[in-house]
């Protein structure tokens, strides 16, 4: 990161550095000129503490992760989350059905259905991110006349989907996939998305909530369209 790429986690003002290195390995945290507080106290914290604060959706933790770290695992995290979501959908579709013959054609049909579920999950995520970015571009850039870093915002959206990792226990321990459990995970992910938008744009909560609602609406429309298309194809194959 270059000069003035860092942000104070307390007041969101730009900072040239997070700490200064002195001789004998002594580090001194930089004090923000605006709020007179440490620019980033989390550089001394254990990653577990940072993760807990991020789960609690603390603004300071989000600013530390999004502005003051070089965490570039958003694409890997995205693919991993999509794989878990695709497996859950695929498992819910087939239940406990099993094929006794490893060479059975039904087994390969189910495998292709898993790929289809992965593609559907990826399409829904793309619709969500696209809806959020388009809405914010219209409001922030067109109506308010301000600038917006789309790449940084996309990275924030993907990183804030880390809540989907909570699907892993359901995959490992073969949870019953109760709607309440999946609904709570979805709510947590949307809350994290809203907080990430708010931190990146330094905006009010109302704007971030509206953006998430638009993204969710886009995702729902795409999901319903894909479902109707699937039913139409099945009807054609039946006749």
């Amino acid at each position: 990161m270059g000069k003035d790429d860092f942000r104070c986690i307390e007041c969101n003002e730009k900072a040239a550095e997070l700490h200064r290195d002195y001789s004998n390995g002594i580090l001194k945290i930089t004090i923000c000129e605006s709020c007179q507080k440490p620019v980033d106290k989390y550089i001394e914290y254990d990653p577990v503490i940072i993760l807990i604060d991020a789960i609690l959706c603390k603004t300071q933790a989000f600013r530390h992760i999004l502005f003051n770290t070089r965490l570039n695992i958003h694409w890997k995290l995205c693919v991993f989350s999509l794989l878990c979501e695709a497996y859950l959908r695929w498992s819910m579709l087939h239940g406990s059905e099993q094929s006794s013959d490893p060479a059975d054609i039904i087994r390969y049909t189910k495998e292709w259905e898993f790929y289809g579920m992965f593609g559907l999950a990826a399409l829904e995520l793309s619709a969500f991110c696209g809806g959020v970015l388009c809405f914010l571009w219209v409001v922030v850039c067109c109506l308010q006349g301000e600038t917006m870093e789309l790449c940084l915002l996309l990275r924030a959206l993907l990183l804030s989907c880390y809540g989907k990792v909570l699907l892993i226990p359901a995959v490992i321990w073969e949870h019953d996939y109760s709607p309440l459990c999946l609904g709570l995970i979805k709510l947590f992910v949307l809350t994290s998305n809203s907080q990430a938008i708010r931190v990146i744009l330094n905006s009010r909560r109302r704007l971030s909530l509206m953006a998430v609602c638009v993204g969710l609406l886009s995702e729902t429309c795409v999901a319903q369209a894909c479902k109707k298309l699937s039913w139409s194809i099945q009807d054609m194959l039946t006749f």
Side-chain angles (χ1 to χ4, degrees):
M1 293 183 177
K3 184 179 178 62
D4 293 339
D5 283 342
F6 301 110
R7 297 289 182 90
C8 174
I9 64 172
E10 302 293 341
C11 64
N12 200 47
E13 287 294 324
K14 293 184 177 181
E17 57 185 1
L18 300 178
H19 59 81
R20 291 185 178 181
D21 294 332
Y22 293 95
S23 59
N24 300 324
I26 299 176
L27 299 179
K28 183 178 180 181
I29 298 179
T30 304
I31 302 299
C32 178
E33 298 179 357
S34 177
C35 64
Q36 299 302 313
K37 295 181 179 180
V39 172
D40 192 345
K41 62 182 180 181
Y42 284 112
I43 61 176
E44 292 185 328
Y45 283 28
D46 189 89
V48 176
I49 303 298
I50 301 174
L51 177 60
I52 292 174
D53 284 354
I55 293 175
L56 295 175
C57 291
K58 289 189 176 181
T59 303
Q60 294 87 343
F62 271 72
R63 284 175 180 157
H64 167 77
I65 295 172
L66 297 176
F67 291 124
N68 299 339
T69 64
R70 297 177 180 177
L71 195 62
N72 293 319
I73 62 170
H74 47 287
W75 291 114
K76 295 179 181 178
L77 179 63
C78 174
V79 173
F80 187 70
S81 300
L82 289 176
L83 285 172
C84 292
E85 189 171 354
Y87 180 80
L88 281 178
R89 296 185 181 189
W90 180 76
S91 299
M92 293 171 66
L93 180 65
H94 292 285
S96 59
E97 296 178 6
Q98 294 182 353
S99 176
S100 58
D101 185 2
D104 193 346
I105 190 173
I106 298 178
R107 178 186 172 213
Y108 297 100
T109 302
K110 291 181 179 180
E111 182 179 345
W112 280 107
E113 287 179 351
F114 171 77
Y115 298 145
M117 291 298 175
F118 179 85
L120 179 60
L123 187 61
E124 291 178 5
L125 179 61
S126 300
F128 174 80
C129 293
V132 170
L133 294 177
C134 289
F135 173 80
L136 292 176
W137 180 78
V138 171
V139 174
V140 176
C141 297
C142 298
L143 298 182
Q144 297 180 358
E146 300 178 2
T147 59
M148 183 178 66
E149 297 184 39
L150 292 178
C151 293
L152 183 59
L153 192 55
L154 178 61
R155 173 176 171 266
L157 284 175
L158 295 179
L159 282 176
S160 60
C161 289
Y162 68 92
K164 291 184 178 181
V165 177
L166 295 174
L167 295 172
I168 295 177
V171 173
I172 296 176
W173 292 304
E174 298 182 355
H175 194 268
D176 59 354
Y177 316 124
S178 64
L180 177 61
C181 176
L182 299 180
L184 289 176
I185 293 176
K186 183 68 174 180
L187 179 62
F188 175 72
V189 172
L190 293 176
T191 303
S192 299
N193 293 149
S194 175
Q195 182 71 329
I197 295 171
R198 185 177 173 221
V199 166
I200 292 295
L201 299 180
N202 196 28
S203 62
R204 295 181 179 180
R205 192 179 301 275
R206 181 183 302 176
L207 177 62
S208 61
L209 289 176
M210 290 176 61
V212 168
C213 289
V214 171
L216 184 61
L217 180 62
S218 301
E219 178 184 341
T220 304
C221 291
V222 169
Q224 293 298 322
C226 291
K227 185 179 296 185
K228 291 181 179 180
L229 180 61
S230 176
W231 287 344
S232 300
I233 294 176
Q234 289 179 2
D235 291 340
M236 292 175 60
L237 292 176
T238 301
F239 290 105

